[in-house]
Amino acid sequence: VTRELTVGLDIGGTKTEALIVDRHDQALGHAVQPTITGGTDAMLDAIVETIHAALANSGEDAHHITSVGVGIPGRVLPETGEVQHAVNLGLKSYPLGRRLTERMNAPVFVENDVRVAAIGAYHFVREHEDISSMAYLGVGTGINAGLILDGKVYRGANGMAGEIGHMVVDENGVLCNCGQRGCLETVAGGPGITRQAINAGITDSRTTTHELIEMAQSGDERARLVMKRVMQHLARAVQVLILSYDVEKVMLGGGVTNAGDSFRDLLLAELGEMKQHSDLVRLMIPDHKIEVLPPGFNAGAHGAIRMAQEKAVALKNGAG
Amino acid sequence: VTRELTVGLDIGGTKTEALIVDRHDQALGHAVQPTITGGTDAMLDAIVETIHAALANSGEDAHHITSVGVGIPGRVLPETGEVQHAVNLGLKSYPLGRRLTERMNAPVFVENDVRVAAIGAYHFVREHEDISSMAYLGVGTGINAGLILDGKVYRGANGMAGEIGHMVVDENGVLCNCGQRGCLETVAGGPGITRQAINAGITDSRTTTHELIEMAQSGDERARLVMKRVMQHLARAVQVLILSYDVEKVMLGGGVTNAGDSFRDLLLAELGEMKQHSDLVRLMIPDHKIEVLPPGFNAGAHGAIRMAQEKAVALKNGAG
């Protein structure tokens, strides 16, 4: 029996992670390297180099790779693997799928990073709970939702489903780079949280959410107030997801959620306040519907692997 | 060839409409009668009587009815036709599907009224445009969305998908009967609009949206301001639907939209203001994505017929 390796790539604005598994989903190797932006050739070289670093880490050979899954920010045309409008990566339009296929001699499947993380989060939950619908709320620099409905990724007509970071939550709020004022991500995304922390006079930290939560827990009232506003808006976003999609689970992940359980506790406290007044909220958002990804788990890389495995099978069976 | 009749029933809080079509979707007869609440036996008798009035109107015979579709407010278990929590009708739990099947000697298919109206609106649009996804935003006493995704009704895990009327849009707003403050439907639902009109000093009309739009167009500044706030929030709701689901069309219907084109003009004006500032809104919400149902078209009755026809076929083929 030949080795059948699948590579999962999670390409972020600052770093790229490659994970390699065998046909039994056994993790064999892994590498994290900086994402190179500013030129597509250099970026592609760096991505290939990260895959080879993970191969070296696993002791495996590139010609055993049978499929590659990639999660990347921006809009992706999954049929061709073309990446569009990946602003953080400086990509306006780039045929990543085609280029990487040429370099790796294996089928490459590309999808938006949040959607890929949703796949990873979904299978993470399915290890302990039999669900068939989930919203993954990615809270990082931006805020986006990835949806699994009836057991399948839901993309929408233009691959734009789940763009709820641009829901306006504060009409008089700060300008968002989309042109609107007070979008959810200006309040509850990473840079938005940092801005509010600085405005509150907190300059003695890098003000990640994790640090703000620790500061709040150690009695810093300014940190507590900043995090309360953030959590209020994230609680409302969770509610909008459940009202809209009626999913069985909302899973949160992304850099802003790195405090894990402490993050979940604060979020549930806000949802708890909403429930005090409303039967509907109590009915629709029981605590067990809300989970936060363990900080160490790379849902993107795992989701990319799962996507690649499923699409490779579909391709083999002539369905893809 | 025997006649094959389908009945579509739209059961509302005040009136029930029955529509009868043949196998070629030719409308044969029609009746509108008051909905009787306060007792399930009396309600069922009145529903059957409305069907017979439509039969009389068509000159057809009850034993040619091959299926009945029903749209009714509340939560519905479509497998059994049980209706739950239909507050306006005084129903906590009632096996309408079973009871009506006994009375009509034909299979009866029951679904939530907004979801049934969404089916009707979807097929209305498909007469002139080839879409496979749509959100129907029903704006009446309450506000709910019915979703068609990938050509099929999307219900959610508990049949609660699309309950966006309880999205909080004004934290300091009036109390909603769900227990929260400032839900969308307290601002943009029928009774909410009436309340705001009265607060604005408009007591010289029954203050339907239709009349308020006419008053605003004839220069009444109070009416203009009330409608502006309503339309701002409906425009935001349309945006949330498109950000969430990335559907090809948002169709609005329900009592509040009875002014038809005038209603659409005001809504598009608000969306136009949002677009002035935002590329994203321009990209995601082109005017042609937004339609308002013609006031004379009963999407509920037509959707109920379509649902019944499709489910009857599925039943015959053993898939249902």
Side-chain angles (χ1 to χ4, degrees), chain A residues 191-272:
Chain A
I193 296 173
T194 301
R195 188 195 70 248
Q196 293 167 90
I198 291 170
N199 289 347
I202 303 171
T203 53
D204 53 348
S205 94
R206 283 167 302 145
T207 60
T208 64
T209 325
H210 198 152
E211 288 162 318
L212 282 169
I213 289 174
E214 277 171 12
M215 287 174 73
Q217 280 172 336
S218 63
D220 187 309
E221 183 63 9
R222 301 166 307 174
R224 201 188 61 78
L225 285 173
V226 169
M227 282 315 301
K228 181 162 183 65
R229 180 157 189 261
V230 170
M231 290 297 178
Q232 277 173 338
H233 284 288
L234 288 178
R236 292 282 179 219
V238 166
Q239 186 187 18
V240 167
L241 288 172
I242 291 179
L243 288 173
S244 295
Y245 297 106
D246 186 13
V247 282
E248 290 155 283
K249 183 77 73 179
V250 175
M251 182 63 113
L252 290 97
V256 169
T257 72
N258 271 341
D261 286 346
S262 303
F263 178 93
R264 181 171 183 269
D265 290 346
L266 286 189
L267 181 65
L268 289 184
E270 281 306 322
L271 286 165

Side-chain angles (χ1 to χ4, degrees), chain B residues 136-140 188 190 193 208-210 213 227 231 234 251-264 267 291-297:
Chain B
Y136 170 76
L137 186 61
V139 191
I193 295 173
T208 64
T209 324
H210 199 154
I213 289 174
M227 281 316 300
M231 289 297 177
L234 288 178
M251 182 61 114
L252 291 98
V256 169
T257 72
N258 272 341
D261 286 344
S262 304
F263 179 93
R264 180 171 183 267
L267 181 66
E291 288 190 42
V292 177
L293 274 182
F297 181 74

Side-chain angles (χ1 to χ4, degrees), chain A residues 150-169:
Chain A
D150 295 327
K152 290 182 304 199
V153 172
Y154 176 71
R155 309 185 81 253
N158 308 290
M160 303 274 277
E163 286 276 348
I164 67 161
H166 296 289
M167 189 171 72
V168 173
V169 299

Side-chain angles (χ1 to χ4, degrees), chain A residues 133 147 149-150 154-164 166-168 171 178-180 232-233 236 239-240 242-248 274 277-281 283-284 289, chain B residues 133 147 149-150 154-164 166-168 171 178-180 232-233 236 239-240 242-248 274 277-281 283-284 289:
Chain A
S133 62
L147 284 310
L149 307 180
D150 295 327
Y154 176 71
R155 309 185 81 253
N158 308 290
M160 303 274 277
E163 286 276 348
I164 67 161
H166 296 289
M167 189 171 72
V168 173
E171 276 179 48
C178 81
Q180 300 187 105
Q232 277 173 338
H233 284 288
R236 292 282 179 219
Q239 186 187 18
V240 167
I242 291 179
L243 288 173
S244 295
Y245 297 106
D246 186 13
V247 282
E248 290 155 283
M274 289 159 62
H277 306 288
S278 172
D279 283 342
L280 182 72
V281 179
L283 174 75
M284 292 193 83
K289 266 196 193 171
Chain B
S133 62
L147 284 312
L149 306 179
D150 296 327
Y154 177 70
R155 310 186 81 255
N158 308 290
M160 302 274 277
E163 286 276 349
I164 68 161
H166 296 288
M167 189 171 74
V168 174
E171 276 179 48
C178 81
Q180 300 187 106
Q232 277 173 338
H233 284 289
R236 293 281 180 221
Q239 185 187 20
V240 167
I242 291 179
L243 288 172
S244 296
Y245 296 106
D246 186 13
V247 281
E248 292 155 280
M274 290 160 61
H277 306 288
S278 172
D279 284 342
L280 183 72
V281 178
L283 174 74
M284 294 192 82
K289 265 195 194 172

Side-chain angles (χ1 to χ4, degrees), chain B residues 75-314:
Chain B
R75 193 175 161 200
V76 175
L77 308 181
E79 297 76 19
T80 59
E82 182 166 325
V83 182
Q84 299 177 334
H85 306 294
V87 183
N88 290 339
L89 303 178
L91 298 179
K92 266 198 94 144
S93 173
Y94 180 64
L96 175 65
R98 193 138 37 93
R99 292 282 171 273
L100 196 54
T101 300
E102 289 161 8
R103 295 286 288 268
M104 300 308 302
N105 265 315
V108 174
F109 307 97
V110 188
E111 180 54 284
N112 168 269
D113 58 346
V114 174
R115 215 159 271 146
V116 167
I119 299 171
Y122 178 63
H123 290 287
F124 177 85
V125 173
R126 298 251 303 172
E127 298 274 314
H128 61 267
E129 202 176 333
D130 182 26
I131 59 169
S132 64
S133 62
M134 190 202 74
Y136 170 76
L137 186 61
V139 191
T141 304
I143 297 182
N144 293 84
L147 284 312
I148 310 285
L149 306 179
D150 296 327
K152 288 181 305 198
V153 171
Y154 177 70
R155 310 186 81 255
N158 308 290
M160 302 274 277
E163 286 276 349
I164 68 161
H166 296 288
M167 189 171 74
V168 174
V169 299
D170 178 5
E171 276 179 48
N172 304 312
V174 303
L175 200 61
C176 179
N177 56 25
C178 81
Q180 300 187 106
R181 281 194 176 277
C183 290
L184 174 61
E185 64 182 46
T186 66
V187 177
I193 295 173
T194 301
R195 189 196 68 250
Q196 294 168 88
I198 292 170
N199 288 347
I202 303 171
T203 52
D204 52 349
S205 92
R206 282 167 302 144
T207 62
T208 64
T209 324
H210 199 154
E211 287 162 319
L212 283 169
I213 289 174
E214 277 172 13
M215 287 175 72
Q217 280 172 334
S218 61
D220 188 309
E221 183 62 12
R222 300 165 308 174
R224 201 189 62 78
L225 285 174
V226 169
M227 281 316 300
K228 181 162 182 65
R229 180 160 190 258
V230 169
M231 289 297 177
Q232 277 173 338
H233 284 289
L234 288 178
R236 293 281 180 221
V238 165
Q239 185 187 20
V240 167
L241 288 172
I242 291 179
L243 288 172
S244 296
Y245 296 106
D246 186 13
V247 281
E248 292 155 280
K249 184 77 73 181
V250 175
M251 182 61 114
L252 291 98
V256 169
T257 72
N258 272 341
D261 286 344
S262 304
F263 179 93
R264 180 171 183 267
D265 291 344
L266 286 188
L267 181 66
L268 289 184
E270 281 306 321
L271 287 164
E273 287 192 24
M274 290 160 61
K275 286 180 202 176
Q276 280 184 19
H277 306 288
S278 172
D279 284 342
L280 183 72
V281 178
R282 266 194 298 278
L283 174 74
M284 294 192 82
I285 321 185
D287 284 0
H288 67 80
K289 265 195 194 172
I290 314 299
E291 288 190 42
V292 177
L293 274 182
F297 181 74
N298 187 329
H302 282 94
I305 284 170
R306 180 68 71 143
M307 172 182 73
Q309 289 169 335
E310 288 174 0
K311 295 216 170 184
V313 168

